[in-house]
Amino acid sequence: MKLPYGISNFAMLVRENYFFMDRTSYIELLENEPEHYLFFLRPRRFGKSLFISVLSYYYGLEHKAKFQELFGQYYIGKHPTPKANSYYVLKLEFSRINTETPESTKKGFLFNVLMSLQSCEDLYGFLPQDYSQDSEPAALLKRFFKANKDRVFYVLIDEYDHFANELLGFHFEHFSEIVSRNGFVRKFYEVIKEATGDGIVERLFVTGVSPITLDSMTSGFNIGRNFSLNNHYHKMLGFTEEEITSMLKQLPPSLLPHFSQKILLADLKKWYNGYLFHPKGERLYNPDMVLFFLTDFIRNGDGEYPERMLDPNIASDYGKLRRLFDLRNRQQNYDILDRLMKDGCVISEVTIQFSFEKHFTTQDFVSLLFYMGLISLEEGMGSRWKFKIPNYVMEGLYLQFFAEVLEERSGVENRMLIIGDALHLLAYENQPRPFLELIEAELKALSNRDFIQFDEKYVQLLFVTFARLSDLYFVQSQREVSQKYPDVMLLHRPPFFPTHQFLLEFKYLKKSDESQLDTKLQEGISQLQGYLQHEEIQALAGLKSYVVVFVGCELREVREIV
């Protein structure tokens, strides 16, 4: 099985016999929609560029002779629509733009537009236009449409908001200027709107990550439609569990000497599943993450997991967390971070269309995290939604960021080497105290900050944060075991198998309640003894169990239960 990790060209995928999850039935659905100007948003690395490529090959009249070769084996090849291969296709994309200054941003946008127009002219043999005197993106596009006014276009726009997301996170002072009513972005899209009215652009399909510039793009575009949160299109991008299962069945048996397909699926679900964009939808896997893992898994050829479970490209894409949390109201955003870290969720309504000419609210910030895939829908609650961190990959990125915030708050620097040494003693020599003393030191460093509200959850969070700075364990917090929820479990994380696994129960008392220490300790012992009766827990190799009690900032009890 050849997996198309990093491949977004549909023709290459088909001709070189790569695996392809057939999504072509959605072409028929989209074409039958009464609106011709459609917008669809999904997080980074979710297959948007590949879908744009599919549409380009399906609707481009230049590919008509290759229709059977490209689409014959798929749904749409067996059920072609009336509009197949009937358009001149103009493809635009706005990634790889230098957003360092307003001038570089505009120059990059202008260059991308110019390259797209000239590529279209070359492809179809249009009379080349002289764009040398045009210094505005809108002027370039207007000249192109005027020269080709007797032709009918399908316009495909990929990464429509990429440069805007960069500006939002890094140079917000430039953002409003560029997407404002008089900015070059809005004027550019106004030309597309005029072309739809003139019949030059008959159809438009736009992808991106967030709706932060849809206000600029769709102002007056009242016949456009955003299908991003529509349940009928929920599974258009991303992998379902059924599809992942079908992929795993195609793996050679030799690749699964240590793990059954059931175990492999369960691990993929923990790491890469959890994305939900409608309360009635089915949770989706990030396709790039899955393909990254399986490509390395197959390449290893020995049934061993890759040492890195996270695609470095994903880490880079989402590595802008700090900049994002500094957007507009930093304290407001950090309050959301603390709620996500301590409570595991946040409740908010969803902003459908942003306007940065208005006040940027907590709802806007939560919605931005949602569209970017940094949090995902847990459940609908009427007009409000409950959001959580979708999976283990995203949780790890948050915890790395939270560790940076802790370092900033406490002033404790360069802890990585110390944490690694302490975790090694825990994992291989069953010595938990050095690692727990790091938690104690952190609590003491933070104790003079009045915004820190210590409790049992915060102690657990510190432990999980430090443990996740290493790849040694699969760290689970509040994992359900027979309808019970142990505080923290450190479990084997292939390909690493340290000597011991751990089950920990944390208890916390304020200094004023120190007299209840023995009661709290016995409560924890009783809970652990109950967990240890379950078959699932008993089956864990090398398991060690501890009750840990903190009083104020001090580590008071570390009691092993056997």
Side-chain angles (χ1 to χ4, degrees):
M1 180 169 60
K2 293 176 65 176
L3 295 174
Y5 170 67
I7 296 177
S8 57
N9 182 288
F10 177 65
M12 178 189 297
L13 184 148
V14 173
R15 288 166 181 158
E16 298 187 17
N17 199 31
Y18 280 93
F19 178 85
F20 177 64
M21 201 69 75
D22 188 0
R23 290 287 188 276
T24 60
S25 62
Y26 286 99
I27 296 175
E28 182 179 60
L29 288 178
L30 291 168
E31 190 170 307
N32 288 331
E33 291 290 348
E35 300 91 352
H36 287 188
Y37 312 107
L38 309 177
F39 310 92
F40 192 76
L41 310 174
R42 280 296 180 264
R44 294 254 181 268
R45 314 284 176 180
F46 234 80
K48 300 185 296 294
S49 295
L50 177 58
F51 192 73
I52 286 283
S53 180
V54 171
L55 293 178
S56 175
Y57 280 99
Y58 184 77
Y59 284 108
L61 54 83
E62 72 276 20
H63 301 298
K64 189 169 186 176
K66 308 168 191 171
F67 182 86
Q68 194 60 32
E69 173 196 352
L70 294 174
F71 293 99
Q73 61 184 306
Y74 304 119
Y75 174 88
I76 203 67
K78 298 177 177 67
H79 309 86
T81 64
K83 298 291 185 179
N85 300 123
S86 61
Y87 291 102
Y88 294 98
V89 172
L90 172 62
K91 288 195 296 183
L92 298 155
E93 65 89 24
F94 296 110
S95 63
R96 303 183 303 277
I97 293 177
N98 179 358
T99 59
E100 192 64 33
T101 66
E103 292 74 25
S104 69
T105 303
K106 183 175 180 180
K107 182 179 179 180
F109 192 97
L110 186 73
F111 178 79
N112 280 29
V113 172
L114 179 61
M115 291 299 99
S116 295
L117 298 182
Q118 291 180 336
S119 293
C120 188
E121 290 173 344
D122 292 342
L123 176 64
Y124 293 113
F126 297 163
L127 181 65
Q129 300 302 301
D130 180 8
Y131 300 108
S132 60
Q133 301 305 310
D134 298 316
S135 59
E136 295 292 329
L140 291 177
L141 190 59
K142 185 171 288 191
R143 183 181 297 277
F144 175 85
F145 282 145
K146 183 178 180 180
N148 298 287
K149 61 183 178 181
D150 295 326
R151 299 181 171 102
V152 179
F153 288 87
Y154 197 134
V155 175
L156 300 172
I157 305 180
D158 193 15
E159 302 276 11
Y160 94 99
D161 61 332
H162 181 85
F163 75 95
N165 288 326
E166 291 287 312
L167 285 170
L168 191 62
F170 292 89
H171 301 287
F172 185 80
E173 67 277 12
H174 304 158
F175 177 83
S176 296
E177 173 188 341
I178 288 170
V179 301
S180 67
R181 191 170 301 278
N182 294 318
F184 70 81
V185 171
R186 181 167 295 201
K187 291 179 179 178
F188 174 79
Y189 287 122
E190 284 174 354
V191 175
I192 297 180
K193 296 169 197 173
E194 292 171 6
T196 63
D198 295 336
I200 301 170
V201 174
E202 186 172 294
R203 290 181 179 270
L204 171 73
F205 187 84
V206 182
T207 71
V209 171
S210 71
I212 59 171
T213 55
L214 274 185
D215 181 56
S216 296
M217 188 170 186
T218 61
S219 177
F221 219 141
N222 54 13
I223 51 175
R225 183 81 179 273
N226 182 357
F227 282 111
S228 307
L229 305 183
N230 186 304
N231 193 34
H232 292 295
Y233 293 93
H234 185 265
K235 295 187 287 188
M236 189 164 77
L237 300 181
F239 291 157
T240 66
E241 187 156 315
E242 180 181 357
E243 290 166 342
I244 294 291
T245 302
S246 72
M247 292 174 68
L248 298 185
K249 287 179 179 178
Q250 298 182 49
L251 293 176
S254 61
L255 290 176
L256 299 170
H258 305 302
F259 310 101
S260 67
Q261 289 181 4
K262 182 178 180 181
I263 292 174
L264 183 56
L265 178 64
D267 286 341
L268 291 177
K269 188 172 185 176
K270 293 169 190 172
W271 283 91
Y272 309 130
N273 187 232
Y275 297 94
L276 191 66
F277 305 98
H278 190 278
K280 295 181 180 179
E282 176 184 351
R283 296 200 179 277
L284 300 171
Y285 292 75
N286 181 299
D288 180 275
M289 294 181 188
V290 172
L291 292 174
F292 168 79
F293 170 87
L294 289 178
T295 298
D296 268 16
F297 185 66
I298 292 171
R299 184 181 292 118
N300 288 344
D302 55 7
E304 292 289 341
Y305 284 16
E307 288 194 16
R308 286 187 170 273
M309 300 287 281
L310 174 59
D311 179 355
N313 292 314
I314 293 283
S316 174
D317 284 341
Y318 291 106
K320 305 178 180 74
L321 268 175
R322 173 172 287 279
R323 297 282 188 140
L324 191 61
F325 273 83
D326 286 343
L327 176 65
R328 303 301 286 272
N329 190 330
R330 185 184 186 193
Q331 187 55 55
Q332 168 187 286
N333 301 339
Y334 273 48
D335 288 343
I336 296 296
L337 175 66
D338 282 343
R339 282 157 60 187
L340 282 170
M341 294 293 92
K342 281 187 65 177
D343 302 329
C345 67
V346 62
I347 297 171
S348 174
E349 294 186 11
V350 179
T351 300
I352 303 299
Q353 194 157 302
F354 288 78
S355 174
F356 285 88
E357 296 172 4
K358 302 176 183 177
H359 179 62
F360 187 68
T361 66
T362 299
Q363 174 183 312
D364 292 334
F365 183 71
V366 171
S367 300
L368 192 58
L369 295 179
F370 165 60
Y371 286 113
M372 297 183 78
L374 294 166
I375 57 176
S376 196
L377 171 62
E378 170 68 5
E379 61 178 322
M381 305 174 68
S383 63
R384 308 176 83 200
W385 285 2
K386 181 179 179 181
F387 298 95
K388 69 171 187 176
I389 300 170
N391 51 45
Y392 202 63
V393 164
M394 288 296 110
E395 181 184 304
L397 293 176
Y398 269 104
L399 288 169
Q400 289 176 21
F401 170 51
F402 188 67
E404 294 176 13
V405 174
L406 285 175
E407 185 174 291
E408 180 182 289
R409 288 174 172 177
S410 66
V412 178
E413 298 181 1
N414 303 318
R415 58 163 76 92
M416 276 302 298
L417 182 60
I418 300 173
I419 288 174
D421 291 343
L423 191 60
H424 190 275
L425 289 172
L426 174 74
Y428 292 97
E429 299 184 29
N430 188 28
Q431 294 185 32
R433 187 168 284 276
F435 192 79
L436 291 165
E437 287 173 350
L438 295 176
I439 308 301
E440 181 183 49
E442 190 74 22
L443 287 172
K444 289 179 178 179
L446 291 167
S447 63
N448 62 343
R449 308 299 176 93
D450 57 8
F451 54 80
I452 298 296
Q453 299 295 320
F454 293 139
D455 56 21
E456 186 176 302
K457 282 187 176 181
Y458 204 88
V459 174
Q460 290 177 36
L461 174 58
L462 288 176
F463 185 93
V464 169
T465 299
F466 285 6
R468 285 296 303 273
L469 293 177
S470 165
D471 291 330
L472 198 56
Y473 281 111
F474 183 62
V475 185
Q476 291 197 328
S477 179
Q478 299 288 317
R479 170 183 170 178
E480 182 179 357
V481 178
S482 299
Q483 297 182 326
K484 302 291 184 181
Y485 296 88
D487 286 342
V488 177
M489 299 178 74
L490 303 183
L491 304 178
H492 285 155
R493 203 229 87 178
F496 307 111
F497 292 91
T499 308
H500 303 293
Q501 301 184 85
F502 289 89
L503 172 62
L504 300 108
E505 190 69 24
F506 288 90
K507 296 298 175 186
Y508 180 85
L509 288 166
K510 295 179 179 179
K511 192 74 173 175
S512 58
D513 297 328
E514 189 172 1
S515 61
Q516 300 175 29
L517 177 60
D518 288 341
T519 302
K520 277 289 183 183
L521 178 61
Q522 291 304 315
E523 181 184 314
I525 291 172
S526 177
Q527 286 176 286
L528 270 188
Q529 289 173 336
Y531 298 143
L532 291 170
Q533 301 306 308
H534 295 292
E535 291 184 9
E536 181 181 349
I537 299 296
Q538 292 174 353
L540 295 173
L543 182 68
K544 300 294 181 180
S545 303
Y546 286 89
V547 177
V548 180
V549 183
F550 279 85
V551 177
C553 300
E554 297 179 2
L555 176 63
R556 287 296 184 86
E557 285 283 349
V558 184
R559 182 75 60 89
E560 184 173 7
I561 308 302
V562 296

